[in-house]
Amino acid sequence: MTLKGSINASKFIAFATALTAGACYVIFRFKDRRNRERRGATSPATKLLYKYKQQLTLTPSQITKLDSELQGQIRAGLKAEITTNGLHMLMLPTCVSQIPNGEETGDIYAIDVGGTNFRVKYVRLSAEKSKIESEENFEAPIPKDVMTGTGSALFDFIATRTLNFIMAHEGGQSLEPPLVGFCFSFAIKQLSFNRGILLDWTKGFTCSDVIGHDPVQLLHEAFERAGRQCRVMALLNDTVGVLSAHRYLDQNTCVGIIIGTGTNAAYVEKIGSVKKWSAGPDVDPNAHTIINTEWGAFDSSSLPRCEEDWEVDAATIHKGKYLFEKLLSGMYIGDVARRILLRMARDPSCILFGSKASSDPLIPVALTTKEGFPTSALAKVVEDPGMRPETMARILGVATMSVEACDVVSQVCHLVAERSAQLIALALCAILRHTGWVQNPEGPLTVAFDGGMYEQFAAYRTMIRKAVDEFLGASLGAKITLELVHDGSCVGAAVLAAAATLEHQN
Ligand code: GLC
């Protein structure tokens, strides 16, 4: 064996030893949990945990009821306008009459507003089919005071940053106004391909004087104030963006899902089925369009919920609205887990954290504020099923922690993440039943995903995959590919803006 070989061999042995130790620790934790459950089925913490498991795990009868209610709301929303009260899926037509096919070309700037971050992207779509030639990005967090200030301050924020990016990219100012695709990730009643009306705010945005107005016009006015006009060719939702971005690459893509700060889905629908939208006399009713479902606004008394879900809702700006989103998405689920853990920590009979000898419960500092235990912390816990108490203690801001407490935290986080994944899968399956694909799966189907929670939380992606396969059965599930589209909303905005530009030229 060469020296190099022997180094590799020793590295390999060290790696294998670490791997075996890790695996042994996970097995030990599971065995330990089982033993504790056997011994202490009546321990207060186990009892409370059991109660949450019962409340948050979907039963077969809930699955059947929710599936039928989801399909009912889809049908009702396609037939007639739905009142925007944040408690029903809106099923919004998007005015897309040509689904992207990979032949869109051009130089486009895409703007994405609607999550924690504001993004601008330059995209060159090649003349070669389905090829993105170059990209360049700018990203900045949207300050809280801008999210909750005036509409004109929000649009000034967007316009100035977009123009700075364009100037830097162009390296001067070209004569032609830049072409823009505007992804505005809220419920929009679309009046045309590049005009619409904001129906409602979600995800902590409350800017004044925007609801009831056209975001494209507000953006044009802000460009004017900032000294340079752009041509906004397309206005779209982020779900429509992710679907279009992946459809540009893969014609089997029929659904686009966002699971980040908020959650929503768009899917490909037959124009003739959208009774509330008149696409015009020349449009073939068998041709396809894209529908923005606004599934975050779905609600049903059959949803698996606990008291803490209502507390999370009560603490939001949009109380009583978008309740499905509040059980699922990144802005909320860390807070649901935190509140469950806080309740357990405060329960004097549990004494989850701190010494059992003391009668005063110890409350980990991270559990006392929403910011202390964000969804990223929940993801970290779920990603590491054998997390050691020392690591968990650091996350929660306590000095030490028992194996049992570590296990409880881990199970609560898992429970909340799994409920979210199951509900996403259930709502996706309801859409696929509605379109008839489940009953008659003519070919393979791709679902495109984007959003921080899907992108940065691998164990969560696995949970969605598993739930889809469980709901549809393994052989049908195998026909569905779930694909992550990085920066899908921006790429989709560019693709749709390019399509609109080509249509104008012809
Ligand atoms: C919220 C918005 C919706 C958006 C989703 C994901 O639910 O209402 O339009 O698609 O968040 O960003």
Side-chain angles (χ1 to χ4, degrees):
M1 191 183 278
T2 63
L3 184 61
K4 195 166 168 242
S6 63
I7 289 171
N8 282 344
S10 65
K11 269 192 181 161
F12 175 76
I13 290 166
F15 175 69
T17 313
L19 207 66
T20 317
C24 286
Y25 184 69
V26 174
I27 293 168
F28 157 75
R29 283 283 300 278
F30 282 120
K31 279 198 171 159
D32 182 59
R33 182 193 302 168
R34 241 201 356 244
N35 287 339
R36 260 186 286 116
E37 276 171 2
R38 267 198 215 121
R39 263 188 286 120
T42 50
S43 103
T46 318
K47 258 198 197 158
L48 253 180
L49 194 59
Y50 178 72
K51 185 194 92 181
Y52 283 111
K53 279 188 182 164
Q54 281 199 314
Q55 288 177 332
L56 303 187
T57 310
L58 278 162
T59 63
S61 103
Q62 276 173 310
I63 293 173
T64 314
K65 276 194 202 144
L66 288 169
D67 177 57
S68 126
E69 286 180 41
L70 281 156
Q71 288 192 66
Q73 288 207 6
I74 292 174
R75 280 193 303 275
L78 291 176
K79 216 185 277 169
E81 293 288 345
I82 301 294
T83 315
T84 315
N85 60 5
L87 291 172
H88 294 95
M89 291 164 74
L90 294 174
M91 306 301 291
L92 299 167
T94 56
C95 295
V96 172
S97 54
Q98 285 265 307
I99 313 270
N101 61 8
E103 281 167 14
E104 297 72 16
T105 82
D107 289 86
I108 309 285
Y109 293 94
I111 300 177
D112 181 19
V113 180
T116 334
N117 286 341
F118 157 79
R119 285 179 298 161
V120 197
K121 189 182 186 81
Y122 161 78
V123 185
R124 170 167 290 173
L125 301 171
S126 161
E128 201 178 310
K129 196 170 177 349
S130 304
K131 187 167 173 217
I132 297 173
E133 220 165 80
S134 57
E135 304 177 44
E136 205 180 306
N137 301 297
F138 170 79
E139 186 163 342
I142 305 183
K144 192 118 191 184
D145 59 322
V146 173
M147 286 167 71
T148 53
T150 64
S152 53
L154 172 70
F155 282 90
D156 283 341
F157 176 89
I158 302 169
T160 49
R161 273 145 194 88
T162 303
L163 290 178
N164 288 346
F165 173 80
I166 293 177
M167 285 290 277
H169 176 79
E170 285 175 343
Q173 185 167 327
S174 73
L175 291 175
E176 288 296 310
L179 301 173
V180 167
F182 184 23
C183 181
F184 194 62
S185 308
F186 300 97
I188 299 282
K189 180 180 164 71
Q190 206 101 19
L191 301 176
S192 71
F193 203 62
N194 62 353
R195 284 188 54 220
I197 285 178
L198 175 68
L199 296 173
D200 214 349
W201 284 122
T202 45
K203 300 175 284 192
F205 281 77
T206 55
C207 305
S208 56
D209 299 323
V210 189
I211 294 181
H213 296 270
D214 179 3
V216 174
Q217 194 188 331
L218 296 175
L219 183 59
H220 275 309
E221 287 168 9
F223 279 141
E224 201 72 55
R225 288 193 290 274
R228 185 176 182 196
Q229 254 326 332
C230 295
R231 283 175 70 200
V232 180
M233 302 305 293
L235 168 68
L236 58 141
N237 187 260
D238 48 358
T239 53
V240 179
V242 67
L243 169 48
S244 304
H246 206 266
R247 184 85 175 202
Y248 176 78
L249 306 170
D250 165 8
Q251 290 292 297
N252 292 328
T253 314
C254 292
V255 184
I257 295 178
I258 298 284
I259 170 84
T261 310
T263 182
N264 189 12
Y267 73 101
V268 173
E269 178 62 274
K270 232 194 240 163
I271 289 182
S273 306
V274 195
K275 301 287 179 232
K276 69 179 178 189
W277 179 51
S278 151
D282 303 334
V283 177
D284 175 4
N286 288 316
H288 290 94
T289 184
I290 301 176
I291 295 292
N292 165 15
T293 65
E294 286 293 319
W295 77 15
F298 173 72
D299 190 34
S300 158
S301 56
S302 298
L303 285 167
R305 277 192 269 234
C306 58
E307 221 175 294
E308 286 69 16
D309 290 312
W310 298 114
E311 287 176 17
V312 167
D313 173 47
T316 61
I317 300 181
H318 318 288
K319 180 173 179 279
K321 293 177 173 185
Y322 275 71
L323 297 174
F324 194 57
E325 178 161 279
K326 289 172 186 166
L327 305 186
L328 265 68
S329 71
M331 184 159 180
Y332 310 101
I333 70 164
D335 200 26
V336 175
R338 174 186 78 86
R339 285 171 189 272
I340 294 176
L341 290 168
L342 189 58
R343 163 106 191 270
M344 294 177 116
R346 280 186 179 144
D347 190 325
S349 65
C350 282
I351 308 285
L352 198 54
F353 307 101
S355 153
K356 299 259 180 215
S358 143
S359 56
D360 277 343
L362 172 78
I363 312 293
V365 64
L367 298 182
T368 56
T369 63
K370 182 172 186 282
E371 293 68 35
F373 198 74
T375 299
S376 54
L378 172 145
K380 213 186 241 173
V381 172
V382 177
E383 292 286 9
D384 183 358
M387 184 175 274
R388 290 173 188 272
E390 310 84 80
T391 317
M392 189 76 87
R394 265 200 304 278
I395 294 178
L396 293 187
V398 287
T400 56
M401 199 168 180
S402 68
V403 171
E404 185 191 4
C406 181
D407 207 40
V408 168
V409 177
S410 174
Q411 289 195 65
V412 166
C413 292
H414 194 276
L415 196 57
V416 173
E418 186 142 61
R419 173 182 63 168
S420 164
Q422 289 190 338
L423 291 176
I424 289 274
L426 190 66
L428 165 64
C429 294
I431 290 180
L432 299 181
R433 281 206 180 85
H434 160 80
T435 61
W437 184 87
V438 169
Q439 299 82 329
N440 184 20
E442 276 164 7
L445 181 138
T446 307
V447 181
F449 282 85
D450 194 7
M453 223 170 114
Y454 193 84
E455 188 171 2
Q456 289 153 29
F457 191 178
Y460 179 72
R461 292 199 292 273
T462 310
M463 287 175 185
I464 295 182
R465 175 76 264 177
K466 186 164 157 259
V468 169
D469 293 346
E470 272 169 19
F471 291 142
L472 295 181
S475 71
L476 201 52
K479 292 195 161 95
I480 301 183
T481 310
L482 308 182
E483 282 286 350
L484 168 69
V485 193
H486 182 66
D487 229 359
S489 20
C490 275
V491 175
V495 168
L496 288 183
T501 313
L502 290 177
E503 213 172 289
H504 268 254
Q505 285 162 357
N506 295 332

